[in-house]
Every structure is written in structure tokens, then in C-alpha cells.
Amino acid sequence: MKRFYLPAAISALLLAFWFSPDAQEIAAGVAIFLFGMLMLEEGFKLFGGGALERVLERATASTPRAISFGVLSTTLLQSSSLVSIVTISFLSAGLISLIGGVGIIFGANIGTTTGAWLVAGLGLKVNIAAYAMPMIAISVVLVFQKAKPLRGIGYALAGLGFLFLGIHYMKEGFDAFKDQIDLTRFALSGLLGLFVYSLIGTAATVVMQSSHATMVLILTALSASQISYENALALAIGANIGTTITAIIGSLGANFQGKRLALAHLIFNMSTAIVALLLIVPLREAVDWISDAVGIASADYAMKLAVFHTIFNVLGVALMLPLLSRLITFLENRIPEAMPDVSRPRYLNEAVDEFPQTLEIALRKEVSHLYENAAELILHGLNLHRDEVFATEDVAEVVRKSRSPLDLDLNEAYERRVKTLYSGIVEFTSRAGDKQVAPEIAERIYILRDVASNIVQAVKSIKHLRKNILRYTVRPQGAPTELYDELRTQIARIAVEIRKLDQTEPDDRSALWLDQERARIEVDAQSTSRRVDALIRMGALTPAAATSFMNDSGYAFDAMHDLIEAARNFFIERDSAMAEVERILSLDQEEIDEAVTDRAGGTRPHTGPESITKPS
């Protein structure tokens, strides 16, 4: 079906152009208007620098705030579609709640009515083409500037210019069109007219994917007396139904939360449309009363249509707000959350690809998910129960008591719970690389990919250890058991410290203890080597066991290095002033080597939980 859609649409346009050259002007006006909306959205993304994303995250603390944000953002952007897509993206990334997302959709429906007021009150009464040309000319100069804010302003200014120009051409086209064909001959009254023209309004919005563009088309046709006022009301109702197609399309690549929001959008707009159709007579009377009260002429049907558009959207929100909790319950029951599958990506979906902020945050959450899986496999691979390790104050004691072999196929678990997630992360970062994101965001995305790589390498190192861990730690065997228990203790302790770092407030995290851990690993490696030599001379360790252990200790220390490097890049804020101080204070490899030499054979100051917080 899709393969015939584009040829059919182009053929229909060419046929219309053949029969009426003036139809070209109307079609060009619609195209210019839609292009202006795209330019305006692009300008916002450049100029905003993620502003909408950051505000959206904070604007959903309560339903009134969410609705207010929906109204304000849609008024500024003149695109409820963009606001819907951003909301679905943030909801899919887990940054806002479902009830907050629904509140934004409610507000966006009210905010989109401001477009009708601007067109009816300004666009149809002023020669806006005179303003469009200077705006477009100035925008071209700004678009070619290197500074991103200036380019963003240029795109936004061009968008507004093209919006004005599109309205002008639609208006001129309908004015010329009425001299050839009187579309009012196709006017329908009564229930049939309401039904048919509502369907037409829905179809037009589905095709253009912009209720704002449909409303402009309706208003310009109405001002040219090409449609009746009654049919224009029905078209406006249909446009509200058709605008849900954008959210539905946007939710196809989203998770269950994004799909819930799209369904909420459809339910809300359908309910609002049904109420408007059922109450069309009292609503028309209310429009007449309000128009008289504010001084709108009785024959100014364009302004009255703007009043009607506002009334029935506000009425829809007023009717749905008391039912909001029931709506949320229905959505959660209708589209339930699937049982969590730890082997599948939770946050990486196409819906979060649209905006840099959600792209980075979703990736960060997925890397954290990968580490959760990896930490469990690492500890289980060492024959340790994760919950016991994280709950104890004495990791070494837990290690000494952990002798029962865990039923674990580490190779299978790695393929299912680590490799699959890592593949999803690599694919996601590759998609991100194809997008035009800010260099600083791109850098953080690739750092997160490297964090994931470190985590995977740590698990691979543990896989090499697993065989001898089972061989020497299930039952006490003297010196080999003690050596392997020390390796288990060291790795488990780092896992505990990383967990504490994760639970520490971001502002209180410090990278300094990570450098201390790196130095301690080097000290422990040399100390272990000397101890193995001593045990061989004493006859407590056979050369074969010693060779196996030295190989395994190399894998263990590699795993510890990878975990510490992953923690450094994941948890420490690279852009903060404190991070800069810590970079200056942090040890380079030469200093670590010196510390190893100084500490060899000695003891190391304790770097427990208190070392996680920043020095005063």
C-alpha cells in the first residue's frame, strides 16, 4: 500500500494543477507553510541547545505545571507535533512520568489554538508577505554564521518568514480560486455535514501531519468564502483528531510508556471531538456570546472559528482532568509493562534518538543496566552471592565462607546478559554518530561506549578465572585457596566501592580514591608476585599451581583496572570545577609507579566509604 501512496499523491496534485492553475498557489502555500514549520523546529533545536529537554524534565512535577508547560511550549513553537515527539522521547527515556506526559499533551492541545488566533487576527487582516521577505533575507545571513545560537535564530526567523509567506499564498490562492469554482456548492448542513467534514479535516491533518497547517488552510478558505462557517467548525474538530497521527507514528519506535502516551493522546482528542460534535449547537451559541462580549464582528467567521477552537479544546481538558487518574490506570492496564528482560536493552529505542539530551541520558541508563548485569556475573563468577557481598562490612569474611559452587554457566550468561546489551549499545552509539549532535555531547556518548567496553572486558577476564576459582575455592587447599580468596576479595571490594560511589550524590563524588585504588592494585600485584615466589621456595605451592595462579592474577588485575576505569568515566563529572581540580591532583602513571615503589612491602592507608566524598 505504501508504495502507491507517493505516486498517487503526486498524480492527484498534478491533476488538480491541470484543471486549475490557481490550485498551484494554494498547494505552494501549504508546502511553504509546512517548510516554515520544519525550519522553525530546526532553529529551535539549534538555538535551544537542549533547553526544551532540560525544562521538560523539571516541568512535570505537578499536573498544573505540566499543562502550563504544554500550553507555553506549543504557543512558542507553534507545533504541538514537536512537543508531542519530545514528550514521547523523554517518557521513553524514563525522565518524566506518564501522568506528567499526559498533562503536557493536554496543555499542547490548548496551546495549538493560539495559532488560529494569530492567523485569524493578523495573518488574514495584514499583508504579512511584506514582513516575510525581510525576515527570510535576514535569516539567510544568520544561517551561514558559525555560531550555533546565531544559526538557530536564523532558522527560526526563516521559519516564521516562510509561515507568513505560506499563509499569504494560501489566502491569495483561495481568493483567485473562488472566481473559477465555488466550493460552497459542496457545503453540507446538519449531522451529515458535521460527519463528512470532520472526516475531511482528519484526513487533511493525517496527510500534512500538522493540525496547525490544517487550521490555516481552513481559516484562509473560510475568509475567501470557499467553505461555510458550519463546515469549518467540523473541519476544525476533525483536525484535532488527525493530529494524533504524529504521536502514534512517534510511538512506534518507543517503549511501552511512549505507546501509552500516544493512546492517551488519541483518547483525549477523540473524546474532545465527540463532545464538541454532540454539543455543537450550545458551543456555537457560546462562541456568538463571547464574540459579542469581546467585540468580534458577527460576520468575522475566521475570528469566531478561533474562539470555537479554543473553547472546545479547553472544554476537553476541563472534562478529562477529573478523570486523569482513571485514564492513567486504564493506560497501564491496556498497555502493561512487559516482564523486565535483563538481556534486552531497556532504554535504547528510536524514540529517544530524536533529541541529544534524551539520547545521552538513555545511553547512560543503559550502560548502568549493563553494569548491573555484569556486576552480578562477576561476583557469581567468583563464587560469591552479590547480595551477601553488598550487605557485609567484612568482604574478606564473606569470601572465606563462600565455598559452595554456584550453578552458573558463565559463558551462556555472558552471551545472553552482557554481549547482547553491549551490541545494542554499540549499535545505538553508531546511530548517534550519524546525527548532528554537539561535539561535547558526541564526546560523552563515545566515552559511555568506552565505559561499556571496559565493563565487558572485565567480565571476559572473570570468565578466564572461573575454572580455577571452582578448582581451588570450593574446598580449602592451603596456599592456593588463600591466594585465590585474596583475588576474590580484591575484586569484590572494588565492586562494593563502585556501588557506594553509585549511591553517593553526584556533587559529592570524587575521582581521587580511584587513583588510590589504581596504585593499590599495582602494589598488590607486586606483593602477590613476591609471595608466590616465597610459597614455591617453601614448598607450599607447586610450580604448576603457581603458573596457573600468576596467569589468573593477571586476568584479575585486568578486571580491576577495567572496572576502575569504567567507574572513573561513568561517575565523575568531567565538566565541573571540582573535576578540573581533581584532574590536576590525580596521579599519572609515573606517579603511580613511584607510589608502588614507595609502598611495596608496606601498608596502604584505608580508602573506605569515607574516601568517596570530596575532600573539604
Side-chain angles (χ1 to χ4, degrees):
M1 187 67 181
K2 290 183 178 179
R3 72 176 69 175
F4 300 112
Y5 175 78
L6 183 59
I10 294 176
S11 299
L13 283 173
L14 292 175
L15 190 63
F17 298 162
W18 176 267
F19 282 105
S20 175
D22 292 316
Q24 299 177 32
E25 196 163 10
I26 299 173
V30 174
I32 292 170
F33 185 88
L34 291 173
F35 181 71
M37 291 190 67
L38 292 175
M39 295 283 283
L40 193 61
E41 292 179 10
E42 186 64 27
F44 169 77
K45 291 177 183 178
L46 284 172
F47 180 63
L52 178 59
E53 295 94 320
R54 291 191 294 270
V55 172
L56 182 58
E57 187 177 357
R58 296 191 294 266
T60 54
S62 65
T63 301
R65 287 177 65 179
I67 293 175
S68 299
F69 175 79
V71 174
L72 179 61
S73 58
T74 307
T75 299
L76 293 175
L77 297 175
Q78 287 298 296
S79 175
S80 60
S81 300
L82 175 61
V83 175
S84 299
I85 293 300
V86 174
T87 306
I88 288 175
S89 179
F90 259 63
L91 190 59
S92 296
L95 295 174
I96 61 175
S97 64
L98 178 60
I99 193 168
V102 173
I104 292 173
I105 294 299
F106 284 3
N109 264 46
I110 297 175
T112 196
T113 64
T114 59
W117 284 99
L118 290 173
V119 175
L122 178 65
L124 300 179
K125 295 178 171 62
V126 178
N127 182 18
I128 56 176
Y131 299 95
M133 297 303 183
M135 293 171 71
I136 294 173
I138 295 173
S139 71
V140 172
V141 177
L142 295 174
V143 163
F144 286 100
Q145 301 303 307
K146 290 184 178 180
K148 186 177 294 185
L150 288 178
R151 284 192 290 128
I153 294 173
Y155 276 111
L157 195 60
L160 288 174
F162 283 119
L163 287 180
F164 288 175
L165 199 61
I167 294 170
H168 169 75
Y169 278 114
M170 279 188 267
K171 181 177 180 296
E172 292 295 315
F174 275 114
D175 285 338
F177 197 67
K178 68 181 180 181
D179 296 331
Q180 299 180 29
I181 301 176
D182 183 9
L183 293 180
T184 55
R185 292 181 301 165
F186 302 101
L188 296 173
S189 60
L191 292 176
L192 179 62
L194 285 174
F195 179 73
V196 170
Y197 276 87
S198 293
L199 289 180
I200 293 173
T202 300
T205 307
V206 168
V207 170
M208 293 187 285
Q209 293 193 30
S210 170
S211 62
H212 192 44
T214 304
M215 282 302 300
V216 172
L217 197 59
I218 296 167
L219 287 163
T220 51
L222 183 61
S223 68
S225 302
Q226 283 290 291
I227 56 175
S228 68
Y229 174 54
E230 182 179 348
N231 292 159
L233 299 181
L235 287 168
I237 294 172
N240 254 41
I241 300 173
T243 194
T244 59
I245 190 66
T246 303
I248 293 171
I249 292 174
S251 71
L252 295 179
N255 61 7
F256 66 98
Q257 288 283 59
K259 291 177 172 61
R260 286 173 177 173
L261 186 63
L263 180 58
H265 196 190
L266 179 62
I267 291 172
F268 170 65
N269 283 37
M270 286 292 294
S271 302
T272 301
I274 291 172
V275 169
L277 290 172
L278 293 176
L279 301 178
I280 190 68
V281 174
L283 284 176
R284 285 188 63 175
E285 293 174 352
V287 169
D288 292 337
W289 181 82
I290 293 173
S291 298
D292 291 339
V294 298
I296 297 175
S298 59
D300 192 348
Y301 293 115
M303 287 293 289
K304 293 173 76 171
L305 177 59
V307 174
F308 173 80
H309 195 218
T310 302
I311 288 176
F312 88 80
N313 274 289
V314 172
L315 177 63
V317 172
L319 292 174
M320 291 298 294
L321 268 180
L323 304 174
L324 184 56
S325 59
R326 293 186 180 181
L327 174 62
I328 298 299
T329 302
F330 170 78
L331 295 172
E332 292 173 344
N333 293 334
R334 185 68 181 83
I335 305 179
E337 179 181 3
M339 290 296 293
D341 184 354
V342 295
S343 66
R344 305 290 298 175
R346 291 178 183 171
Y347 306 99
L348 307 185
N349 53 70
E350 294 179 3
V352 303
D353 286 11
E354 293 295 327
F355 301 94
Q357 192 78 0
T358 51
L359 191 151
E360 180 187 350
I361 293 172
L363 181 58
R364 175 170 286 274
K365 284 175 174 265
E366 201 61 64
V367 171
S368 179
H369 176 206
L370 172 66
Y371 177 74
E372 289 176 8
N373 284 2
E376 182 176 357
L377 292 187
I378 287 170
L379 293 175
H380 286 188
L382 298 173
N383 229 31
L384 301 172
H385 287 282
R386 180 176 60 176
D387 294 341
E388 292 180 2
V389 170
F390 288 161
T392 187
E393 294 293 331
D394 189 347
V395 175
E397 179 65 20
V398 170
V399 169
R400 283 192 294 270
K401 291 181 178 179
S402 298
R403 299 297 179 202
S404 300
L406 297 180
D407 184 15
L408 172 68
D409 184 341
L410 190 54
N411 288 320
E412 186 275 334
Y414 165 78
E415 292 289 332
R416 181 172 55 88
R417 300 185 59 182
V418 172
K419 188 175 180 179
T420 303
L421 277 183
Y422 181 56
S423 298
I425 289 170
V426 171
E427 179 187 2
F428 186 80
T429 53
S430 298
R431 292 206 309 267
D434 294 335
K435 299 181 180 297
Q436 294 182 348
V437 299
E440 61 273 14
I441 294 179
E443 181 186 5
R444 290 196 294 268
I445 287 172
Y446 288 120
I447 287 173
L448 287 172
R449 185 187 63 182
D450 292 341
V451 169
S453 177
N454 288 133
I455 293 170
V456 171
Q457 291 302 319
V459 179
K460 285 184 176 180
S461 295
I462 300 302
K463 285 172 60 181
H464 292 293
L465 284 172
R466 175 68 175 168
K467 179 181 177 181
N468 284 334
I469 289 291
L470 291 175
R471 180 179 180 181
Y472 290 111
T473 66
V474 171
R475 59 184 179 82
Q477 298 181 47
T481 300
E482 292 178 6
L483 290 172
Y484 277 98
D485 278 354
E486 288 179 7
L487 288 183
R488 292 200 295 164
T489 300
Q490 290 169 333
I491 298 172
R493 181 178 49 77
I494 287 178
V496 169
E497 294 296 324
I498 290 175
R499 182 170 184 266
K500 291 175 181 177
L501 189 61
D502 183 30
Q503 295 175 338
T504 303
E505 290 297 324
D507 290 340
D508 294 329
R509 291 172 182 158
S510 171
L512 299 180
W513 78 274
L514 294 169
D515 293 306
Q516 294 172 333
E517 290 293 339
R518 289 169 60 198
R520 178 173 180 174
I521 290 172
E522 300 291 345
V523 172
D524 290 342
Q526 292 194 10
S527 175
T528 299
S529 179
R530 288 193 299 272
R531 184 179 177 191
V532 169
D533 290 340
L535 289 172
I536 293 175
R537 288 193 297 270
M538 292 167 56
L541 193 66
T542 66
T547 301
S548 295
F549 174 76
M550 291 305 295
N551 288 334
D552 288 338
S553 66
Y555 290 127
F557 290 125
D558 285 344
M560 287 185 268
H561 274 296
D562 285 324
L563 290 174
I564 288 174
E565 189 64 22
R568 170 188 293 279
N569 287 324
F570 187 80
F571 289 113
I572 305 305
E573 178 55 58
R574 302 173 65 86
D575 298 328
S576 67
M578 180 59 74
E580 180 62 29
V581 172
E582 290 179 353
R583 274 194 289 269
I584 296 172
L585 296 177
S586 64
L587 304 175
D588 59 26
Q589 189 58 47
E590 183 178 350
E591 291 170 321
I592 289 176
D593 293 340
E594 292 176 0
V596 170
T597 303
D598 293 340
R599 292 179 181 175
T603 59
R604 169 185 173 275
H606 177 63
T607 55
E610 69 275 8
S611 66
I612 294 175
T613 56
K614 291 181 178 178
S616 57

